[in-house]
């Protein structure tokens, strides 16, 4: 759902989280977002979505966007057409069962895609990022905070991973800092809508 009370003239940033949901960290992040009337996008993988359906429901109830990060976190370019379809459909089925709606965006694992992958995954846009925090590599709260605050600008999509506790801790600082700087923290869907970017299914963003 796209909020109608956002100001298109004020800067926006979309925080995104891959590889979850996680039984503890995702909930910590949701609590912080709620506190600041902020929203984010969670690109979930099949095995974690299946194990944490209660958290999936909380993401949806919080008004956050659920994106598809495939069933097994596999490099899609190395799979057959049918396997690619199955990787996406599997997650969609779980999300639809839990929330009533399928996913509304897809992020290919490792950012790996091809024209063939785009043609097969033509139900939703393929969403990448402008700011890579490399939080999975540093596992360092302060480095993750700095990666966002020092590099973010209006319209950016930030890549993080909610499976790491260091990232959940970083969010406690990132969100209030961005809000204090005047950013509206939005879902990818809201960002595309308010920036008037008409990204169709199978198309990539940012280009």
């Amino acid at each position: 759902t796209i909020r109608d009370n956002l100001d298109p003239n004020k800067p926006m940033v979309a925080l995104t989280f891959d590889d979850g949901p996680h039984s503890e960290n995702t909930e910590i992040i949701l609590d912080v977002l709620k506190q600041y009337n902020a929203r984010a996008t969670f690109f979930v993988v099949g095995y974690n979505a299946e194990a944490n359906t209660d958290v999936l429901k909380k993401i949806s109830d919080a008004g956050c966007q659920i994106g598809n990060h495939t069933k097994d976190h596999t490099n899609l370019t190395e799979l057959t057409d049918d396997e690619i379809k199955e990787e996406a459909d599997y997650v969609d089925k779980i999300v639809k069962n839990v929330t009533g709606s399928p996913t509304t965006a897809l992020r290919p694992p490792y950012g790996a895609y091809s024209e063939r992958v785009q043609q097969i995954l033509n139900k939703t846009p393929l969403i990448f990022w402008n700011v890579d925090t490399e939080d999975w590599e540093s596992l360092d709260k302060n480095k993750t905070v700095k990666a966002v605050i020092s590099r973010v600008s209006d319209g950016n999509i930030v890549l993080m991973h909610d499976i790491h506790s260091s990232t959940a801790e970083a969010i406690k600082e990132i969100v209030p800092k961005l809000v204090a700087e005047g950013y509206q923290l939005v879902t990818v869907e809201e960002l595309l809508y308010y920036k008037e970017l008409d990204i169709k299914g199978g198309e990539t963003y940012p280009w």
Side-chain angles (χ1 to χ4, degrees):
T1 48
I2 292 167
R3 289 172 288 178
D4 56 11
N5 59 348
L6 298 170
D7 183 348
N9 300 311
K10 278 178 70 180
M12 296 181 179
V13 62
L15 301 179
T16 67
F17 301 92
D18 287 10
D19 298 355
H22 184 275
S23 56
E24 289 166 30
N25 301 329
T26 307
E27 299 216 15
I28 292 169
I29 292 167
L30 287 173
D31 285 344
V32 176
L33 293 171
K34 187 180 176 189
Q35 208 179 323
Y36 291 90
N37 195 25
R39 291 191 183 168
T41 303
F42 294 83
F43 288 95
V44 303
V45 287
Y47 47 87
N48 280 334
E50 211 161 29
N52 298 291
T53 51
D54 54 328
V55 184
L56 213 49
K57 179 93 171 70
K58 284 178 183 166
I59 295 172
S60 171
D61 290 347
C64 288
Q65 182 180 1
I66 299 178
N68 195 326
H69 201 40
T70 74
K71 177 187 174 191
D72 300 308
H73 203 281
T74 311
N75 184 329
L76 297 174
T77 63
E78 296 168 357
L79 303 180
T80 66
D81 292 9
D82 285 347
E83 285 169 339
I84 293 169
K85 207 171 164 328
E86 164 63 13
E87 280 288 325
D89 288 350
Y90 188 90
V91 175
D92 258 349
K93 203 173 288 178
I94 297 168
V95 173
K96 192 163 194 274
N97 281 345
V98 174
T99 69
S101 312
T103 57
T104 44
L106 185 140
R107 176 172 282 162
Y110 314 106
Y113 74 103
S114 62
E115 220 168 284
R116 180 173 67 98
V117 169
Q118 285 179 268
Q119 282 164 359
I120 295 162
L121 302 177
N122 58 7
K123 282 193 231 165
T124 62
L126 306 185
I127 300 297
F128 296 88
W129 54 87
N130 321 88
V131 177
D132 184 354
T133 60
E134 297 181 343
D135 59 341
W136 59 274
E137 202 162 27
S138 74
L139 296 178
D140 181 314
K141 179 194 82 168
N142 296 334
K143 281 185 180 167
T144 301
V145 172
K146 187 166 183 268
V148 177
I149 302 302
S150 65
R151 286 158 56 195
V152 78
S153 61
D154 180 29
N156 278 178
I157 297 174
V158 179
L159 170 63
M160 289 177 281
H161 298 79
D162 51 335
I163 49 173
H164 303 304
S165 56
S166 50
T167 299
E169 289 305 309
I171 285 300
K172 294 177 182 175
E173 292 184 28
I174 289 168
V175 169
K177 280 184 172 168
L178 290 175
V179 169
E181 285 183 17
Y183 284 102
Q184 301 171 96
L185 301 185
V186 299
T187 63
V188 167
E189 208 171 17
E190 289 173 329
L191 186 74
L192 297 178
Y193 175 79
Y194 279 101
K195 297 289 180 192
E196 297 180 350
L197 295 160
D198 185 22
I199 314 291
K200 307 238 180 345
E203 291 181 355
T204 59
Y205 184 81
W207 307 287

